Protein backbone atom coordinates (compact mmCIF):
# COMPACT_ATOMS: atom_id res chain seq x y z
CA UNK A 1 0.00 0.00 0.00
CA UNK A 2 1.46 3.33 -1.06
CA UNK A 3 1.78 6.08 1.56
CA UNK A 4 -0.51 9.08 1.28
CA UNK A 5 0.87 11.96 -0.74
CA UNK A 6 1.42 15.21 1.14
CA UNK A 7 -0.97 18.03 0.14
CA UNK A 8 1.89 20.14 -1.25
CA UNK A 9 2.86 17.32 -3.62
CA UNK A 10 -0.74 16.91 -4.76
CA UNK A 11 -0.93 20.66 -5.43
CA UNK A 12 2.23 20.55 -7.56
CA UNK A 13 0.84 17.54 -9.43
CA UNK A 14 -2.34 19.49 -10.18
CA UNK A 15 -0.33 22.51 -11.32
CA UNK A 16 1.76 20.37 -13.69
CA UNK A 17 -1.42 18.86 -15.12
CA UNK A 18 -2.82 22.38 -15.61
CA UNK A 19 0.35 23.49 -17.41
CA UNK A 20 0.17 20.42 -19.65
CA UNK A 21 -3.52 20.94 -20.39
CA UNK A 22 -3.15 24.61 -21.28
CA UNK A 23 -0.16 23.87 -23.50
CA UNK A 24 -1.91 21.02 -25.31
CA UNK A 25 0.79 18.53 -24.30
CA UNK A 26 0.61 15.30 -22.30
CA UNK A 27 2.38 15.00 -18.96
CA UNK A 28 4.78 12.54 -20.56
CA UNK A 29 5.62 15.00 -23.35
CA UNK A 30 6.02 17.85 -20.84
CA UNK A 31 8.41 15.70 -18.77
CA UNK A 32 10.52 14.63 -21.73
CA UNK A 33 10.61 18.08 -23.30
CA UNK A 34 11.53 19.60 -19.93
CA UNK A 35 14.62 17.35 -19.86
CA UNK A 36 15.45 18.26 -23.48
CA UNK A 37 15.09 21.94 -22.56
CA UNK A 38 17.83 21.70 -19.93
CA UNK A 39 21.12 22.93 -21.45
CA UNK A 40 23.02 20.82 -18.90
CA UNK A 41 21.42 17.54 -20.04
CA UNK A 42 23.48 15.98 -22.80
CA UNK A 43 20.89 13.33 -23.64
CA UNK A 44 17.45 12.06 -22.66
CA UNK A 45 17.02 8.29 -22.93
CA UNK A 46 13.38 7.21 -22.56
CA UNK A 47 12.37 3.57 -22.65
CA UNK A 48 10.07 2.19 -25.32
CA UNK A 49 8.06 -0.97 -25.82
CA UNK A 50 5.97 -0.19 -28.87
CA UNK A 51 6.39 1.63 -32.18
CA UNK A 52 3.83 4.20 -30.97
CA UNK A 53 5.96 4.96 -27.91
CA UNK A 54 8.98 5.42 -30.18
CA UNK A 55 7.04 7.91 -32.33
CA UNK A 56 5.75 9.72 -29.25
CA UNK A 57 9.25 9.96 -27.76
CA UNK A 58 10.68 11.25 -31.04
CA UNK A 59 7.96 13.92 -31.17
CA UNK A 60 9.01 15.07 -27.71
CA UNK A 61 12.55 15.92 -28.80
CA UNK A 62 11.82 19.64 -29.18
CA UNK A 63 12.59 21.92 -26.22
CA UNK A 64 9.67 23.55 -24.44
CA UNK A 65 8.95 27.24 -24.86
CA UNK A 66 10.80 29.30 -22.24
CA UNK A 67 7.58 30.39 -20.50
CA UNK A 68 6.57 26.77 -19.84
CA UNK A 69 10.04 25.89 -18.56
CA UNK A 70 9.84 28.87 -16.21
CA UNK A 71 6.43 27.80 -14.89
CA UNK A 72 7.70 24.27 -14.25
CA UNK A 73 10.88 25.53 -12.57
CA UNK A 74 8.74 27.62 -10.20
CA UNK A 75 7.16 24.38 -8.96
CA UNK A 76 10.51 22.99 -7.78
Amino acid sequence: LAPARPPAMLDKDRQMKDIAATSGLSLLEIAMRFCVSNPHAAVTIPGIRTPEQARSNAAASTPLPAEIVEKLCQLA
Side-chain angles (χ1 to χ4, degrees):
L1 196 58
R5 293 170 115 187
M9 183 182 284
L10 292 172
D11 185 52
K12 287 182 181 189
D13 182 64
R14 182 194 52 76
Q15 290 178 55
M16 284 188 285
K17 288 177 181 175
D18 289 347
I19 292 168
T22 58
S23 66
L25 302 170
S26 70
L27 280 175
L28 176 63
E29 190 172 5
I30 287 278
M32 290 181 57
R33 289 180 65 179
F34 182 78
C35 294
V36 171
S37 300
N38 183 339
H40 303 291
V43 65
T44 302
I45 306 173
I48 61 166
R49 292 185 185 200
T50 67
E52 179 54 38
Q53 286 177 340
R55 285 188 285 278
S56 176
N57 292 352
S61 64
T62 306
L64 289 168
E67 62 272 8
I68 294 177
V69 172
E70 181 61 32
K71 287 178 185 179
L72 293 169
C73 286
Q74 290 174 2
L75 297 177

